[in-house]
Each structure stands twice: as structure tokens, then as C-alpha cells.
Amino acid sequence: MPEPRLSVRDAGKSVIITAGDVDIAQYVHHPDAPDSESPKPYLHPIRSLSGAPMSSYRPHDHRWHKGLQMTWAHLSGQNFWGGPTFSAERGYHSRDDHGHMNHLGFTELSCDGERVVAEESLHWVSSKGEHWITERRRQVFHGVDAARGLWALDFTTSLRNVRGATLEFGSPTTHGRPLAGYAGYFWRGPRSWTGGTIVAAGGRGGQEMMGEQAPWLAIVGQHDEIDGGGTVLAFAGHSSASVPIKWFVRNEAFAVISPSPSFDEEIALADGDTLELAHRYVFIDHMCERDELEALGAEFAL
């Protein structure tokens, strides 16, 4: 039986990626969001090859969580994450510090049936309207395998500092809150995945992976409404910074994964310099055991 062919279509403020007759991802490049949510592009809904949900959007506990998105909670005094900002003196509090990411246009949007490539230019703009970062972002949807019920997404980005001064990339943890390294490419799972199983490379797993290093990490969860469950397998990938990538991961009170580039150490990016990141996510249409994840971890390693 032939593999489902990939295709892409323009939906105005978004592009929709389809495998066969299933829309597996929608990339919203012009979001409708208030300033308090730090408007930025995101992927939602994300679905498995069978159409099962693999992401959530604007959950009641964190309205700024939107599927899978590039974010940063602390960037030289600006919040590109959304919601309140953390400080050691005041805890979380509301500030007029929300930056946003503007999609300028696609430099490539192509499809050959086996992969979809979406490459774009973006500007990161501060709450005062200052252009701080020019980003070149590339997303490749590929690896459709109907027999194993999976598909893959490669995410690479180059963030060039155009502020005219050094940019400091941090997190709530670098500002005094333990185990809160909100930064980078962040996935929020469906509500029903709360309490799911965290599995990591090297025989490790569980919530003790918060703030740890590992080449890959997965959450295995169950669906509401439909039978069965799924697995999201994420790869830490690479950072051009000297700071190691560490995992931000939870299965309580909700399921999230992020390979955080500045979990507990700041990245200082000089004016004119570029931060480069590369990550991979694999969306699997069943609940994987460790043996299968170890094999997939080796197969899809970055």
C-alpha cells in the first residue's frame, strides 16, 4: 500500500499540511491574539496520521500556550512568551513588556509529495516597537510512514541580533524560579495527556527529567473521545550557543515538552551575531513502549 502523499494549501493567515486526506498540521503565521499573549506564529491543530489530536490551543490555565511554537519568556527584559513575567522580588506579575513575532513572508513554500518545506522570514519586535531580531525559520514536514503510524517535523532557525546591543536570552529559572526554564520550541499536549508517561534516552524518564540533558524525550498519552493514544517524541538537537540544551517537561498539571536552550544559564548574543537552533519532533499514532522509542531515537537522531 502506497504511503499517503503530503500536500500543502494556503488558508490566508495559515498554511495547512495534509497527509493523504488528513490535515496533520496547520501553521498559523498571522495569529489573532491580544498583546498580552505575545502574538507569534504557531502550529495547531497537530494531528496524527489517523487524525487524532496531538496539541492544544489557549487552555484555560495558560491562554498563551498554542500548540507548538517558538517562544522566549525572558529576553533582555522583554517577554516573548505571553502572560505574566517572573521576577525574584515580585514573583509572577503583569507588565507591559510583551514582544511579538511578525511573519514577513515565505521565502520557500514547496511540496514534492514526500515533504513540505516552509521557510520564512520574521522580525522579533519589542513592546516598544523596536526591531530586535531578524529570524530565518525553516520547517520541514516529512517521514510519513503509514505502517508505523508516524510523521516527522524538522525545525531550524537562525536568530540574528539587530538590536544594536547584546541580547540576553534567559528564563524564569535564570531570574530566580527553580525548574522553570521556559524558553525555545514549546509543545503543549492535549488535556487528556495529563499524567502521561515521560520516557527519555538511556533508560531514564519521569518528571525528574525536568532540567536534565538527553538526546531525546517522549510523552505517551491517551486520547479523549476516541480509543487509544499516541506518542510525541522530541529531539533536543543542536544549539550554536555554548549553553547546553536541557529539557523542560511536565506531565502534571498538563503535558508539555520543550528543548530549552537557556534553561538555567543565559545566552549572551552580541549585536550582529546569530543563534542557531535545530530540533525534531515525531508524532506517532499509538502508545509506544520504551524498546520502540529507543529504536526510533536512534533512527531519527539529529
Side-chain angles (χ1 to χ4, degrees):
M1 183 171 128
E3 297 290 357
R5 300 282 287 176
L6 286 171
S7 61
V8 61
R9 67 181 187 273
D10 187 355
K13 293 183 177 181
S14 67
V15 293
I16 298 172
I17 295 87
T18 300
D21 58 359
V22 176
D23 294 341
I24 58 171
Q26 178 170 267
Y27 183 59
V28 180
H29 48 79
H30 281 89
D32 294 319
D35 288 344
S36 61
E37 296 175 12
S38 297
K40 62 187 110 25
Y42 60 87
L43 278 163
H44 178 84
I46 302 171
R47 298 186 179 93
S48 69
L49 291 181
S50 70
M54 305 287 274
S55 63
S56 63
Y57 174 79
R58 294 193 79 242
H60 65 77
D61 49 79
H62 294 77
R63 295 298 187 194
W64 48 97
H65 288 185
K66 296 178 174 70
L68 180 56
Q69 58 184 347
M70 183 57 159
T71 73
W72 229 290
H74 287 263
L75 176 56
S76 291
Q78 291 285 290
N79 179 347
F80 286 86
W81 179 269
T85 297
F86 182 86
S87 71
E89 299 76 22
R90 299 180 59 188
Y92 278 106
H93 58 286
S94 295
R95 293 175 50 186
D96 184 18
D97 63 350
H98 293 99
H100 53 279
M101 302 177 195
N102 294 338
H103 167 88
L104 302 183
F106 287 106
T107 54
E108 180 180 353
L109 186 60
S110 64
C111 178
D112 63 6
E114 294 185 359
R115 67 177 197 160
V116 170
V117 177
E119 185 174 288
E120 64 186 310
S121 295
L122 302 103
H123 283 175
W124 293 35
V125 179
S126 75
S127 60
K128 297 180 180 179
E130 301 163 331
H131 176 199
W132 279 13
I133 292 173
T134 293
E135 179 182 3
R136 185 179 74 252
R137 179 181 300 184
R138 182 178 176 89
Q139 298 174 94
V140 181
F141 304 79
H142 66 100
V144 173
D145 187 329
R148 294 189 294 173
L150 62 82
W151 63 273
L153 167 63
D154 290 356
F155 176 91
T156 57
T157 185
S158 297
L159 306 173
R160 183 167 61 89
N161 180 359
V162 297
R163 181 191 181 192
T166 297
L167 286 172
E168 296 174 344
F169 293 78
S171 73
T173 296
T174 66
H175 285 70
R177 185 189 176 201
L179 301 178
Y182 295 97
Y185 202 41
F186 187 90
W187 169 82
R188 172 72 186 252
R191 183 73 64 179
S192 65
W193 287 43
T194 302
T197 302
I198 299 171
V199 182
R204 293 180 292 168
Q207 293 210 99
E208 59 266 30
M209 290 306 299
M210 177 70 88
E212 294 295 313
Q213 293 178 249
W216 60 263
L217 180 145
I219 290 184
V220 183
Q222 298 188 69
H223 302 311
D224 279 340
E225 299 186 24
I226 58 176
D227 294 337
T231 304
V232 172
L233 171 61
F235 292 81
H238 309 289
S239 170
S240 62
S242 60
V243 176
I245 293 174
K246 297 183 179 181
W247 289 105
F248 184 97
V249 60
R250 285 180 175 163
N251 58 4
E252 297 286 352
F254 39 77
V256 297
I257 300 175
S258 176
S260 176
S262 59
F263 189 97
D264 53 10
E265 297 180 61
E266 287 194 341
I267 297 171
L269 188 68
D271 182 45
D273 284 356
T274 298
L275 173 64
E276 297 184 348
L277 301 168
H279 311 298
R280 173 174 288 160
Y281 278 66
V282 181
F283 298 93
I284 307 165
D285 212 359
H286 58 272
M287 300 172 71
C288 295
E289 299 291 338
R290 174 174 290 279
D291 288 350
E292 183 179 5
L293 285 170
E294 293 283 1
L296 290 171
E299 178 184 349
F300 284 93
L302 281 174

